[in-house]
């Protein structure tokens, strides 16, 4: 209450509070700030004169403002005057311009028209220059084409390429309304191209005429020149013809020089220095020519390396060039080969069919090589000449072979039938023809022809030789005894079969020879059996055995079959068992093949064993009325078989002893051998020397071979041939150790 009363009693405070409580805007604040600058001292005097001070200050500011704008006013007045003057001038100028425009409107129109025409002319000039650059040659390019003194360089080929490009582009002009222009440009470019090709052709001919060595002296632009001239077929062929002429002369000259002087680069002697050796002579000629053909193929491929391969392949120009180049070699080669084949003074005529076949094989090899490697085509003259020579050599070979076969069995001095020597080995003529056949078959193995052709040729050769050869051998042996004839023919057949054994396509003839050999071996076996039977005195008993079904009386009553005769035969049988090799026919020792010797002897002993078994059955049969037959027959058939088998095995043991003699005589040799190795050697029938003096040694008299050890060894080998242990020690006499 007191506060309210105070406020009412103090109106100044109320006014101040009212002022303070009123909101103050920005303008009011700025006004107060301005007043504060006027009011320096806050006193009563100052507050009373505040209005006056503010008005005085406002008046001062106004006066200053007026003073400042007075100069501006004068300036604006001057400016106004000037603007008015300029306005007057502009009006005058506009009037004059209008007058001038009226007077020059026609001239401006002409100027604009000329400007437009100038722009069109500039465009036409640009088009014309570009057209000239695209469809015409520059003067310096024309000079390059027509100048025959300068060498050909890359720029020349660029000009030719440009001419051909222009010629192709001018064809586009024919598709629109520019027919005349297109035709004129094409004619012009054709003339320029013809002139360029003519110059290039003459330059290429000059370069090609200098290619006379075995390598192309590479000019940097020669290959591009040939590729460029390929577009002109006639000029291109003329260049190739010139090249072929030069190279054919060079190849023939090189061949003649190699024949007569030798190859200087290889420092080799002349090929004709070996004319006495026909095989080498012909081989050297063909080797040189093969190298020459390969070199020519490489040169022509190098010359045409930038040309169109597909076009060359289609036209066959490269093959034609090689065929024409090598055609020059046909005559000198044919003359020399024919002279080597036909002349009687050459080594071919003296050596016989093998040399002719060697020549034929050489020619066939090079025909195959040249055609398969595509150095030459099969229809080229050189290949045709080689095939003619091959046919000639084939004909001469078979003529010589037939002549050699016809001379088999005839003496060279008297032309009489050649009689075999005392050793019953093949005669000299048989040995020679077999050697020729062997050489021919060896040459045939190196042939590159197909298997069908090789088989056909082998069959023809063998048909020409084998049957006449065997027939001639039979004629040569016609004056011999049956035994000697069989030995001689077996030796001849063995020599022939041995020649055929390592070659293909000979099975039919080997089978034929084997059949004939078996027949002659049967003859030898029969003769050997007859010889042994005759020695033992068993011929009457053998005849009785053969006629036992027709006998009407007991066997003991026949002459030569009585007990006394049988006892005498058994005594001889004991001697035969102890030394069986004494009864080997002397003619059998002349057999060349040791296996055949073994086979004849084994089959003979087997036959003797069979005969003894039949004789034992007859003697022990009571029908034949022998007294105490077991005392007559010392051995049973099984014992006889083992005794004779032990003789064969004993010989093989002796050969083993010869092989393993480094064990020393004090070492039991039989015990040191491995059983499997021994059986393998026995099965392979390995021989050392055949029937020589070492083998004639009586095994039963040696230190290690006794009848008991051989018998037991035979039993052991017969019982178990697949798993034989170490062979028995002959020092051990107990049979249990062996069995």
């Amino acid at each position: 209450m007191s506060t309210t009363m105070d406020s009412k009693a103090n109106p100044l405070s109320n006014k101040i509070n009212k002022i303070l409580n009123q909101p103050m805007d920005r303008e009011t604040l700025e006004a107060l700030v301005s007043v504060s600058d006027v009011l320096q001292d806050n006193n009563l005097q100052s507050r009373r004169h505040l209005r006056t001070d503010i008005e005085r200050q406002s008046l001062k500011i106004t006066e200053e403002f007026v003073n400042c704008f007075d100069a501006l006013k004068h300036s604006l007045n001057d400016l106004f005057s000037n603007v008015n003057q300029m306005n007057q001038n502009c009006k005058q100028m506009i009037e004059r311009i209008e007058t001038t425009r009226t007077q020059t409107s026609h001239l401006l129109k002409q100027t604009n028209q000329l400007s437009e025409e100038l722009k069109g002319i500039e465009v036409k000039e640009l088009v014309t220059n570009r057209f000239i650059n695209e469809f015409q040659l520059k003067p310096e390019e024309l000079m390059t084409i027509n100048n025959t003194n300068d060498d050909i360089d890359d720029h020349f080929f660029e000009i030719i390429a440009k001419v051909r490009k222009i010629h192709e582009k001018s064809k586009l002009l024919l598709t629109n309304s520019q027919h005349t222009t297109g035709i004129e440009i094409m004619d012009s470019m054709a003339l320029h191209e013809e002139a360029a090709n003519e110059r290039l052709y003459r330059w290429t001919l000059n370069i090609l005429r200098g290619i006379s060595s075995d390598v192309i002296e590479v000019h940097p632009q020669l290959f591009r020149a040939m590729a460029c001239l390929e577009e002109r077929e006639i000029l291109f062929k003329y260049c190739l013809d010139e090249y072929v002429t030069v190279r054919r002369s060079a190849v023939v000259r090189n061949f003649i020089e190699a024949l007569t002087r030798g190859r200087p680069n290889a420092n080799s002697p002349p090929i004709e220095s070996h004319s006495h050796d026909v095989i080498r002579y012909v081989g050297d000629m063909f080797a040189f020519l093969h190298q020459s053909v390969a070199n020519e193929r490489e040169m022509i491929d190098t010359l045409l390396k930038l040309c169109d391969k597909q076009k060359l392949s289609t036209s066959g120009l490269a093959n034609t060039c090689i065929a024409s180049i090598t055609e020059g070699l046909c005559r000198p080669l044919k003359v020399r080969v024919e002279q080597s084949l036909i002349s009687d003074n050459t080594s071919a005529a003296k050596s016989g069919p093998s040399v002719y076949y060697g020549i034929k094989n050489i020619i066939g090899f090079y025909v195959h090589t040249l055609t398969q490697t595509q150095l030459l085509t099969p229809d080229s003259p050189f290949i045709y000449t080689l095939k003619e020579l091959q046919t000639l050599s084939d004909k001469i070979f078979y003529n010589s072979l037939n002549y050699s076969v016809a001379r088999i069995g005839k003496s060279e001095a008297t032309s009489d039938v050649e009689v075999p020597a005392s050793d019953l080995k093949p005669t000299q003529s048989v040995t020679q023809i077999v050697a020729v056949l062997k050489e021919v078959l060896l040459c045939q193995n190196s042939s590159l022809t197909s298997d069908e052709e090789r088989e056909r040729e082998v069959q023809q050769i063998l048909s020409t030789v084998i049957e006449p050869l065997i027939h001639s051998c039979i004629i040569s042996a016609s004056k011999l005894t049956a035994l000697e004839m069989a030995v001689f023919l077996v030796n001849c057949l063995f020599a022939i079969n041995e020649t055929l054994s390592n070659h293909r396509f000979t099975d039919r003839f080997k089978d034929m020879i084997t059949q004939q050999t078996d027949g002659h071996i049967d003859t030898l076996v029969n003769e050997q059996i007859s010889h042994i039977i005759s020695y033992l005195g068993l011929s009457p008993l053998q005849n009785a055995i053969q006629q036992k079904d027709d006998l009407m009386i007991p066997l003991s009553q026949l002459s030569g079959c009585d007990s006394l005769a049988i006892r005498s035969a058994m005594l001889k049988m004991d001697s035969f068992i102890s030394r069986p090799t004494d009864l080997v026919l002397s003619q059998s020792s002349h057999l060349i093949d040791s296996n055949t010797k073994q086979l004849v002897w084994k089959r003979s002993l087997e036959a003797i064993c069979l005969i003894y078994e039949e004789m034992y059955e007859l003697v022990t049969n009571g029908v034949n009325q022998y007294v105490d037959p077991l005392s007559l027959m010392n051995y049973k058939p099984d014992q006889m078989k083992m005794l004779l088998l032990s003789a064969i095995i004993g010989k093989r043991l002796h050969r083993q002893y010869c092989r393993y003699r480094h064990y020393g005589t004090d070492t039991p040799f039989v015990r040191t051998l491995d059983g499997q190795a021994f059986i393998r050697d026995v099965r392979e029938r390995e021989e050392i020397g055949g029937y020589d003096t070492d083998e004639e040694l009586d095994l039963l008299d040696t230190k290690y071979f006794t009848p008991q050890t051989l018998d037991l060894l035979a039993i052991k080998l017969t019982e178990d041939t697949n798993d034989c242990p170490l062979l028995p020690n002959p020092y051990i006499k107990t049979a249990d150790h062996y069995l």
Side-chain angles (χ1 to χ4, degrees):
M1 189 68 179
S2 59
T3 306
T4 304
M5 292 298 292
D6 292 339
S7 61
K8 290 180 178 180
N10 192 358
L12 181 60
S13 176
N14 293 333
K15 191 175 183 178
I16 292 173
N17 289 332
K18 184 179 179 180
I19 294 171
L20 293 176
N21 290 330
Q22 288 182 353
M24 302 294 289
D25 54 4
R26 184 176 183 82
E27 294 179 355
T28 305
L29 291 176
E30 290 178 354
L32 290 176
V33 172
S34 299
V35 171
S36 63
D37 292 335
V38 175
L39 185 64
Q40 299 295 329
D41 296 325
N42 191 7
N43 52 35
L44 181 61
Q45 185 68 25
S46 298
R47 287 194 297 271
R48 288 178 177 176
H49 294 90
L50 177 61
R51 182 185 296 264
T52 303
D53 292 336
I54 292 173
E55 291 176 351
R56 188 183 294 114
Q57 184 175 1
S58 177
L59 180 61
K60 183 180 179 180
I61 292 171
T62 302
E63 290 177 350
E64 292 177 356
F65 183 79
V66 170
N67 293 330
C68 289
F69 273 90
D70 185 49
L72 179 61
K73 177 186 176 184
H74 292 293
S75 298
L76 289 175
N77 291 332
D78 295 337
L79 178 62
F80 180 76
S81 298
N82 293 331
V83 169
N84 287 332
Q85 185 65 34
M86 288 178 64
N87 187 24
Q88 293 295 328
N89 294 333
C90 286
K91 288 180 179 180
Q92 294 176 0
M93 291 178 64
I94 289 172
E95 292 176 356
R96 294 174 64 183
I97 289 173
E98 289 296 330
T99 303
T100 304
R101 180 181 298 175
T102 302
Q103 295 175 354
T104 60
S105 60
H106 178 68
L107 180 61
L108 291 175
K109 184 178 181 180
Q110 290 182 349
T111 303
N112 293 332
Q113 186 178 359
L114 291 175
S115 298
E116 294 297 329
E117 292 178 357
L118 179 61
K119 291 181 181 179
I121 292 173
E122 290 177 352
V123 172
K124 290 181 179 180
E125 181 183 9
L126 179 62
V127 172
T128 302
N129 291 333
R130 187 170 180 180
F131 181 83
I132 292 174
N133 291 331
E134 291 291 333
F135 290 93
Q136 292 294 330
L137 295 179
K138 297 178 182 179
E140 57 272 17
E141 292 175 342
L142 293 175
M143 291 179 61
T144 302
I145 291 177
N146 298 318
N147 188 0
T148 58
N149 296 325
D150 295 340
D151 196 8
I152 300 296
D153 54 7
D154 292 335
H155 183 58
F156 182 83
F157 292 102
E158 293 174 357
I159 295 174
I160 293 181
K162 183 178 179 180
V163 170
R164 292 176 178 175
K165 185 177 180 181
I166 293 173
H167 191 275
E168 291 296 325
K169 286 182 178 181
S170 61
K171 294 179 181 179
L172 299 176
L173 299 176
L174 301 178
T175 60
N176 50 38
S177 60
Q178 304 296 327
H179 294 82
T180 304
T181 304
I183 293 175
E184 290 178 355
I185 293 175
M186 291 178 65
D187 292 341
S188 175
M189 292 301 108
L191 293 175
H192 294 325
E193 185 177 5
E194 189 66 26
N197 288 332
E198 184 67 21
R199 182 190 172 192
L200 185 62
Y201 165 68
R202 297 185 182 280
W203 178 85
T204 304
L205 285 183
N206 292 330
I207 298 298
L208 292 177
R209 286 167 182 164
I211 303 177
S212 59
S213 61
D214 291 338
V215 294
I216 294 182
E217 298 178 358
V218 181
H219 190 281
Q221 306 302 335
L222 177 59
F223 308 134
R224 292 189 64 182
M226 294 300 297
C228 186
L229 290 174
E230 189 180 13
E231 299 294 332
R232 291 292 181 267
E233 185 176 354
I234 296 178
L235 297 180
F236 185 66
K237 288 184 176 180
Y238 284 166
C239 289
L240 291 180
D241 291 342
E242 184 67 26
Y243 173 78
V244 167
T245 302
V246 173
R247 290 308 307 160
R248 179 163 51 192
S249 300
V251 168
V252 173
R253 182 176 61 254
N254 292 338
F255 182 49
I256 299 301
E257 289 182 356
L259 289 172
T260 56
R261 300 180 182 178
R263 288 167 282 185
N265 295 334
N267 294 325
S268 59
I271 296 177
E272 290 187 346
S273 63
H274 304 294
S275 58
H276 59 281
D277 185 356
V278 178
I279 293 292
R280 180 175 179 180
Y281 178 52
V282 175
D284 288 348
M285 282 195 296
F286 277 99
F288 175 82
L289 294 178
H290 175 262
Q291 182 180 0
S292 299
V293 172
N295 185 58
E296 293 303 318
R297 168 61 72 174
E298 183 180 359
M299 290 178 66
I300 193 67
D301 290 342
T302 303
L303 181 65
L304 304 178
K305 66 179 181 179
L306 297 183
C307 297
D308 189 349
K309 304 299 181 183
Q310 185 176 0
K311 186 182 295 186
L312 288 176
S313 177
T314 303
S315 62
L317 284 177
N319 293 330
T320 304
C321 290
I322 293 296
S324 299
I325 292 172
T326 55
E327 185 178 5
L329 298 170
C330 296
R331 180 172 178 78
L333 175 66
K334 186 176 182 180
V335 169
R336 285 163 176 79
V337 175
E338 288 179 346
Q339 184 179 6
S340 300
L341 290 171
I342 299 174
S343 176
D344 295 334
N345 297 324
T346 61
S347 61
K350 298 177 181 178
S351 300
S354 60
V355 176
Y356 292 120
Y357 190 81
I359 296 175
K360 171 190 172 183
N361 206 31
I362 290 174
I363 298 174
F365 170 79
Y366 282 103
V367 169
H368 181 273
T369 302
L370 292 173
T371 54
Q372 291 299 317
T373 57
Q374 297 182 352
L375 293 176
L376 291 172
T377 56
D379 57 348
S380 63
F382 189 77
I383 295 297
Y384 181 77
T385 301
L386 294 189
K387 290 181 179 179
E388 285 185 340
L389 293 175
Q390 188 178 18
T391 303
L392 177 63
S393 61
D394 183 72
K395 181 178 179 181
I396 295 177
F397 162 68
Y398 281 107
N399 290 340
S400 176
L401 191 61
N402 290 326
Y403 176 77
S404 299
V405 171
R407 295 292 301 171
I408 297 175
K410 295 182 180 180
S411 174
E412 295 182 359
T414 62
S415 298
D416 295 333
V417 176
E418 188 176 10
V419 179
S422 59
D423 58 2
L424 300 179
K425 291 182 179 180
T427 60
Q428 182 179 2
S429 59
V430 174
T431 304
Q432 290 177 352
I433 196 64
V434 169
V436 168
L437 182 61
K438 183 177 182 180
E439 292 178 3
V440 169
L441 292 178
L442 287 176
C443 293
Q444 199 274 339
N445 287 338
S446 62
S447 176
L448 298 179
T449 56
S450 62
D451 287 346
E452 292 77 8
E453 294 179 0
R454 291 176 59 188
E455 182 177 7
R456 183 169 58 254
E457 187 171 16
V458 169
Q459 296 298 321
Q460 183 178 359
I461 293 172
L462 296 182
S463 299
T464 305
V465 175
I466 298 300
E467 294 181 0
L469 176 59
I470 295 175
H471 181 69
S472 299
C473 292
I474 295 174
I475 294 176
S476 297
S478 58
K479 296 182 180 180
L480 301 176
T481 63
L483 180 59
E484 291 175 341
M485 181 178 183
V487 173
F488 173 73
L489 292 178
V490 167
N491 287 336
C492 292
L493 293 173
F494 171 74
I496 299 171
N497 194 46
E498 189 177 30
T499 301
L500 304 181
S501 59
N502 296 325
H503 301 283
R504 299 172 60 189
F505 315 122
T506 60
D507 294 339
R508 181 170 68 88
F509 292 92
K510 288 191 290 188
D511 294 340
M512 180 187 70
I513 292 173
T514 301
Q515 291 177 1
Q516 296 189 20
T517 302
D518 292 340
H520 297 305
I521 289 177
D522 292 339
T523 301
L524 292 176
V525 171
N526 293 332
E527 292 292 334
Q528 181 67 63
I529 294 172
S530 299
H531 179 66
I532 295 175
I533 292 298
S534 177
Y535 169 79
L536 296 177
L538 296 177
S539 297
L541 190 57
Q542 184 184 19
N543 294 331
I545 292 173
Q546 295 175 354
Q547 302 174 4
K548 60 182 178 179
D549 295 334
D550 299 332
L551 292 177
M552 305 301 295
I553 59 175
L555 187 63
S556 59
Q557 298 179 10
L558 292 176
S559 176
C561 296
D562 56 279
S563 299
L564 182 61
I566 291 176
R567 194 177 301 279
S568 175
M570 287 300 100
L571 292 176
K572 294 182 179 180
M573 180 67 75
D574 291 336
S575 176
F576 169 65
I577 292 173
S578 63
R579 302 179 66 88
T581 56
D582 290 346
L583 296 183
V584 175
L585 292 172
S586 60
Q587 291 85 351
S588 298
S589 63
H590 298 313
L591 289 171
I592 298 175
D593 183 23
S594 57
N595 291 333
T596 304
K597 293 180 184 178
Q598 285 287 340
L599 179 62
V600 171
W601 182 240
K602 181 180 178 181
R603 287 178 57 184
S604 299
L605 294 182
E606 289 174 351
I608 294 298
C609 290
L610 292 176
I611 294 173
Y612 181 81
E613 183 177 359
E614 293 179 353
M615 184 179 69
Y616 183 86
E617 292 177 355
L618 291 176
V619 172
T620 56
N621 192 343
V623 176
N624 293 314
Q625 300 179 4
Y626 282 102
V627 179
D628 194 8
L630 295 178
S631 64
L632 295 177
M633 308 303 291
N634 297 337
Y635 307 99
K636 294 180 179 181
D638 292 340
Q639 291 176 334
M640 177 60 68
K641 188 181 297 184
M642 286 186 292
L643 287 173
L644 294 180
L645 178 62
S646 66
I648 298 174
I649 297 177
K651 290 180 179 295
R652 294 171 182 166
L653 284 173
H654 179 258
R655 284 190 288 276
Q656 288 282 356
Y657 173 72
C658 294
R659 288 183 59 191
Y660 295 97
R661 68 177 79 187
H662 61 273
Y663 284 107
T665 55
D666 297 333
T667 303
F669 130 81
V670 178
R671 189 173 60 184
T672 61
L673 289 180
D674 178 72
Q676 291 293 340
F678 170 74
I679 292 176
R680 183 173 63 253
D681 289 344
V682 170
R683 285 176 178 174
E684 293 176 356
R685 298 179 180 180
E686 186 174 359
E687 299 296 331
I688 299 181
Y691 289 99
D692 52 12
T693 54
D694 291 335
E695 195 164 279
E696 290 297 327
L697 178 66
D698 189 351
L699 297 175
L700 301 181
D701 293 337
T702 60
K703 181 177 181 179
Y704 299 114
F705 306 116
T706 63
Q708 293 81 9
T709 58
L710 293 176
D711 291 344
L712 294 173
L713 178 59
I715 294 172
K716 185 61 181 175
L717 292 177
T718 303
E719 291 177 349
D720 189 4
T721 58
N722 295 324
D723 187 15
C724 183
L726 293 179
L727 299 182
N729 187 346
Y731 287 120
I732 302 176
K733 303 300 181 181
T734 305
D736 295 338
H737 283 278
Y738 300 125
L739 302 178

